[in-house]
Amino acid sequence: MLAANPYSVFRGLTDGIETVTLKDDVRHQEVKIVPSLGNNSYSYLVNGHEVFWSPYKSLAEFKAKPANLGNPFLAPWANRIDGLTYSANGKQYHLNPDLGSFRSDGFKQPIHGLVMYAPWKVVRAEANGQAAWVTSRLEFWREPAWMAQFPFAHNLEMTYRLSNGELEVITTVENLSTQAMPLSLGYHPYFQVHDAPRDAWQVHLPVKSKVTLGPTLTPTGEKTAMTASGPLGLQGVTLDDVYTDLTADAKGTAEFWVKGKQQQVSVIYGPKYPVAVVYAPPGRNFICFEPMTGVTNVFNLGAQGKFPLQSVPASGSWQESFWIRPAGF
């Protein structure tokens, strides 16, 4: 254990699986990360209440049958591609389903990239008087099956930083390729509040546009203006939508939140996450505020000039954060 009151970081085993725990003893916050399963921060306790949602009772259950929970990372594409071909730098690239390195949705579209459950390597775990943090690394270029699907050599680093009552998630992409690397990454975190039933939750969506989706849940290239000004109640409401044109503050950040009676979880997007997917299915006690670098299927839609596509310059890097801020727990 490395400790500097009130923050500490501990590397140990949970159900025989390596985990890293970040703690703030003053605010009674504890974050647990499992590097070997996608570097997922699968637990965020505040005064004993779980901010993240999980369908499992143990980490061993998660390892035995991985499914979405906590804070999954989606790369090198987030959400769906509308077929087995995608565009980058004026060229067509083809995905090979026979390699077994990606999943498909109910419409047989590749979904959520290649690394959701990949093993990451911890490179730093430290604490001082201001924060506790852990940085892990994934060397994408080392895996032949990944490179066969997405032939842009790169490294990924993810830092979880617990400080001042909030969790910052920092993502860094290092492009090792000789060409610009198209960027379509994001996170799919699952949140909950406990002091009100799901249908009594209120949701704030700081968005100006809703992206129109086709029958296979990929964008048509169109969007509609959003006119709602106040919080949205979830009673009778199903959300599975893509939003853009976020309403940002002077720092360029946009704050989404869900609130029960007193408990609230805010998710603050950095400016390089200009797209939000919001998912709140009926009858389920969670909501997902998903920070994205681009809309669903952005490789192909970007090539068509319908939506912006970010890229990382050859031998360059990209970095952005989002923050999770619980209150009232």
Side-chain angles (χ1 to χ4, degrees):
M1 176 182 290
L2 300 175
N5 196 34
Y7 297 100
S8 61
V9 56
F10 175 75
R11 297 179 66 178
L13 297 177
T14 302
D15 296 342
I17 304 164
E18 181 189 9
T19 56
V20 180
T21 303
L22 310 178
K23 293 188 70 176
D24 176 349
D25 288 331
V26 169
R27 297 174 182 84
H28 306 289
Q29 295 195 0
E30 178 180 286
V31 177
K32 289 190 174 182
I33 300 105
V34 54
S36 65
L37 291 170
N39 205 43
N40 195 322
S41 54
Y42 68 97
S43 176
Y44 186 177
L45 291 173
V46 181
N47 286 315
H49 297 286
E50 185 61 74
V51 173
F52 286 132
W53 174 87
S54 169
Y56 300 117
K57 295 181 180 179
S58 70
L59 191 57
E61 289 183 10
F62 175 36
K63 181 179 180 180
K65 190 177 180 181
N68 293 355
L69 59 83
N71 184 42
F73 176 62
L74 315 178
W77 68 87
N79 296 311
R80 299 164 172 85
I81 298 176
D82 65 349
L84 294 177
T85 301
Y86 64 92
S87 299
N89 301 328
K91 299 178 182 179
Q92 295 288 310
Y93 293 88
H94 302 279
L95 298 172
N96 183 356
D98 294 334
L99 292 176
S101 53
F102 63 83
R103 299 184 303 144
S104 297
D105 67 5
F107 304 104
K108 299 183 179 180
Q109 300 174 124
I111 189 170
H112 293 341
L114 303 169
V115 301
M116 184 180 289
Y117 306 117
W120 293 58
K121 180 181 179 180
V122 175
V123 294
R124 289 183 298 277
E126 300 179 30
N128 59 26
Q130 287 75 47
W133 65 94
V134 57
T135 299
S136 299
R137 187 173 179 87
L138 182 66
E139 295 179 329
F140 184 95
W141 58 274
R142 289 186 180 275
E143 177 52 60
W146 297 345
M147 289 293 292
Q149 310 287 18
F150 188 77
F152 296 88
H154 66 281
N155 291 321
L156 296 161
E157 280 197 353
M158 189 190 310
T159 297
Y160 289 104
R161 186 176 188 271
L162 184 64
S163 179
N164 198 31
E166 64 184 19
L167 178 65
E168 181 181 9
V169 185
I170 309 166
T171 307
T172 304
V173 181
E174 180 188 8
N175 182 12
L176 306 176
S177 303
T178 58
Q179 298 182 23
M181 173 182 153
L183 195 65
S184 173
L185 62 80
Y187 289 82
H188 196 315
Y190 290 74
F191 301 107
Q192 61 183 335
V193 293
H194 303 270
D195 61 348
R198 182 264 187 203
D199 285 352
W201 295 356
Q202 297 286 311
V203 174
H204 174 62
L205 305 177
V207 299
K208 299 175 184 176
S209 301
K210 181 178 177 180
V211 176
T212 302
L213 302 180
T216 62
L217 302 180
T218 56
T220 64
E222 301 175 335
K223 59 184 180 180
T224 58
M226 296 287 291
T227 57
S229 58
L232 171 68
L234 287 188
Q235 185 172 5
V237 173
T238 298
L239 295 174
D240 191 2
D241 299 303
V242 181
Y243 301 96
T244 189
D245 301 321
L246 307 189
T247 303
D249 60 16
K251 298 179 181 178
T253 62
E255 181 176 350
F256 294 75
W257 52 256
V258 59
K259 186 175 183 179
K261 293 180 181 178
Q262 300 295 328
Q263 295 177 354
Q264 177 174 314
V265 180
S266 295
V267 184
I268 299 96
Y269 289 33
K272 294 180 186 176
Y273 289 122
V275 172
V277 176
V278 181
Y279 178 48
R284 306 298 299 276
N285 291 324
F286 64 73
I287 185 169
C288 302
F289 298 118
E290 307 173 32
M292 301 288 167
T293 61
V295 300
T296 304
N297 195 36
V298 73
F299 289 157
N300 292 326
L301 292 170
Q304 297 166 20
K306 294 182 177 180
F307 284 99
L309 170 64
Q310 297 187 55
S311 63
V312 187
S315 302
S317 63
W318 177 97
Q319 186 177 90
E320 188 55 283
S321 294
F322 73 96
W323 295 260
I324 301 165
R325 182 184 300 152
F329 282 83

